[in-house]
Amino acid sequence: MIYFDNSATTNVKPKEVIKSFLEGVSVYSANPGRSGHKLSLKTSEKIFDVRNALCEFLGTDRPENIIFTQNCTDALNLGILGTAQKGGHIICSCNDHNSLARPIFELEKKGIVEVTVVTPKNKNYLTASDIEPHIKPNTYLVALNHVSNVNGDCINVREIGTLCAQRCLLFLLDCAQSAGHIKIDMERDHIDMLALAPHKALYAPQGIGVFAFGIRAKVLPIRYGGTGTESINLYQPLQYPECLESGTIATPNIIALGSALKFVQENFERINKKIDDLATYILFELSKIENIITYTSAYNVHYGVIGFNIKNMDSSEVASILSDEYNIYVRGGLHCAGLKHKSLGTVEQGVVRVSLSYFNTFSECEHFIKVIKKIASKI
């Protein structure tokens, strides 16, 4: 099996992550923050350690503003719905995944906000100059995908964050595809809110997301329930993180995330050098094959996401052939990113996406290219 669908979720997890997950199930199996006995307190301390590790990883010093969610989609919903302003205006972009776009357009459908979708002038990245002309007097939020899950297109985070700070706008960043590939600093880059999908390039388990926010963002709960605090009160408590973490959190996944963060931080340069080398090789070889159209630029290839098509073949058909006949797993279709495919002109055909992890090998990439040559030669 050759697994090239790591932008959906990384298949191979580091042994340290697996070990920590098992410890979370067996050693830290109490409910943190819900009881006063020793095991509950021990588990709470372990969870707090991961909050602190995330602060270091994300360039913030507010562990109480690190919120554990069900997944990245849940985190984005919290950022968008939890800061919604009736009569306001939100700016997003054509790069955005449906996890970001759908909650925004749900607010528009209900008449709560108006929305502007920005398309970058530069095909490689979106900049502040793309955003600024669309700012209105009622604009309060700029919500953007950091790296496209379709073809790796990115944005100039520091420039856009600085613009948002100058114009007193909240800046929400979807880091589902970027965390692990790009070093993130919330304070330096004026990122008010961000969302993580740890099961991707952070090599953590599925079933855990992270929402982080700074001092300028006042986030209200979008779910209500037990928090382990103020139990006599029938209204949601106001203190972070409890007021945004109703219900039992996924302790084994959070503990495994702590080990995943350590793995990525200790091996950051090595991980991304390898992914860059493998992705550059695949993109270069694809560009030489007749009947192949590529959508990823050399400027953005180091994020490990390569989008391409074989002329006159549906992308899902190509993905099925690779899976059924060659045991190579990629993703075809629209990748939950309709806005991006409209901008690329690939709504009908979709895109074949190869996405790499640290655990892929050069020999896998070589074999993949041989197979694509064989399929494309039949057109």
Side-chain angles (χ1 to χ4, degrees):
M1 178 189 78
I2 297 177
Y3 186 89
F4 281 167
D5 193 22
N6 293 283
S7 284
T9 191
T10 46
N11 180 48
V12 180
K13 309 296 184 184
K15 62 182 185 296
E16 304 96 311
V17 173
I18 297 170
K19 179 182 177 184
S20 291
F21 179 83
L22 294 175
E23 285 180 355
V25 173
S26 58
V27 179
Y28 299 97
S29 54
N31 201 330
R34 297 298 195 273
S35 303
H37 56 72
K38 290 181 181 179
L39 186 54
S40 176
L41 295 173
K42 179 180 177 182
T43 305
S44 295
E45 290 172 3
K46 192 72 172 176
I47 298 296
F48 188 74
D49 288 343
V50 181
R51 290 191 207 273
N52 277 329
L54 282 161
C55 282
E56 180 184 349
F57 184 74
L58 297 172
T60 180
D61 60 357
R62 304 177 71 86
E64 69 276 13
N65 288 13
I66 300 292
I67 309 300
F68 295 115
T69 61
Q70 297 172 13
N71 45 46
C72 188
T73 298
D74 193 35
L76 289 167
N77 272 261
L78 181 54
I80 294 161
L81 304 181
T83 59
Q85 295 182 14
K86 187 170 178 58
H89 173 239
I90 299 175
I91 296 172
C92 61
S93 86
C94 67
N95 289 336
D96 296 337
H97 189 277
N98 283 344
S99 298
L100 182 66
R102 283 182 172 171
I104 291 173
F105 279 91
E106 186 67 21
L107 290 175
E108 183 193 52
K109 184 171 74 172
K110 292 178 177 177
I112 296 172
V113 302
E114 55 179 318
V115 180
T116 298
V117 179
V118 175
T119 299
K121 297 182 185 71
N122 185 308
K123 68 177 184 177
N124 293 326
Y125 54 89
L126 184 122
T127 68
S129 63
D130 297 311
I131 300 293
E132 191 163 24
H134 301 282
I135 297 174
K136 301 180 179 182
N138 61 334
T139 304
Y140 72 93
L141 174 64
V142 176
L144 300 172
N145 176 296
H146 194 177
V147 171
S148 167
N149 67 308
V150 177
N151 69 343
D153 282 354
C154 66
I155 70 172
N156 190 320
V157 170
R158 191 176 305 179
E159 188 180 285
I160 294 171
T162 300
L163 171 67
C164 289
Q166 291 170 346
R167 301 295 291 270
C168 297
L169 307 176
L170 291 175
F171 181 30
L172 168 61
L173 192 63
D174 175 4
C175 298
Q177 298 297 332
S178 61
H181 296 300
I182 304 173
K183 291 187 176 179
I184 298 165
D185 192 318
M186 294 182 68
E187 292 190 8
R188 179 195 66 195
D189 296 337
H190 306 286
I191 302 166
D192 296 296
M193 302 179 285
L194 63 75
L196 301 181
H199 63 99
K200 300 178 190 273
L202 295 179
Y203 302 93
Q206 295 170 326
I208 184 69
V210 175
F211 175 69
F213 60 104
I215 194 169
R216 293 201 313 128
K218 306 300 180 185
V219 186
L220 299 177
I222 61 173
R223 288 189 296 110
Y224 301 86
T227 61
T229 58
E230 300 183 30
S231 295
I232 195 64
N233 190 352
L234 292 178
Y235 298 99
Q236 195 78 353
L238 301 177
Q239 294 77 23
Y240 301 133
E242 290 85 3
C243 74
L244 302 180
E245 286 183 349
S246 291
T248 301
I249 56 178
T251 297
N253 294 359
I254 295 169
I255 292 173
L257 170 57
S259 291
L261 285 173
K262 185 177 180 182
F263 170 79
V264 170
Q265 286 177 302
E266 290 179 350
N267 299 282
F268 189 87
E269 301 301 331
R270 186 191 312 172
I271 289 170
N272 287 288
K273 170 81 165 56
K274 183 178 182 182
I275 290 173
D276 190 1
D277 289 345
L278 296 181
T280 300
Y281 168 77
I282 288 178
L283 182 62
F284 179 70
E285 293 298 321
L286 285 173
S287 68
K288 297 191 299 184
I289 303 173
E290 190 176 359
N291 296 321
I292 294 288
I293 305 165
T294 58
Y295 303 98
T296 298
S297 73
Y299 182 88
N300 292 323
V301 73
H302 45 272
Y303 306 127
V305 180
I306 303 145
F308 74 97
N309 273 324
I310 300 176
K311 288 181 181 178
N312 304 320
M313 286 190 71
D314 185 84
S315 62
S316 295
E317 180 187 0
V318 176
S320 294
I321 292 170
L322 289 169
S323 174
D324 298 343
E325 299 183 22
Y326 299 98
N327 215 25
I328 299 173
Y329 302 152
V330 300
R331 182 164 176 188
L334 300 181
H335 315 87
C336 301
L339 290 172
K340 185 61 177 175
H341 283 278
K342 286 178 182 177
S343 73
L344 291 174
T346 53
V347 171
E348 297 300 322
Q349 190 178 14
V351 165
V352 182
R353 183 188 70 192
V354 172
S355 50
L356 303 169
S357 95
Y358 176 66
F359 296 101
N360 287 125
T361 66
F362 182 71
S363 61
E364 290 176 334
C365 297
E366 278 189 312
H367 181 64
F368 169 75
I369 292 297
K370 289 177 183 177
V371 170
I372 291 298
K373 285 180 180 178
K374 184 176 179 180
I375 298 171
S377 68
K378 297 178 181 178
I379 300 300

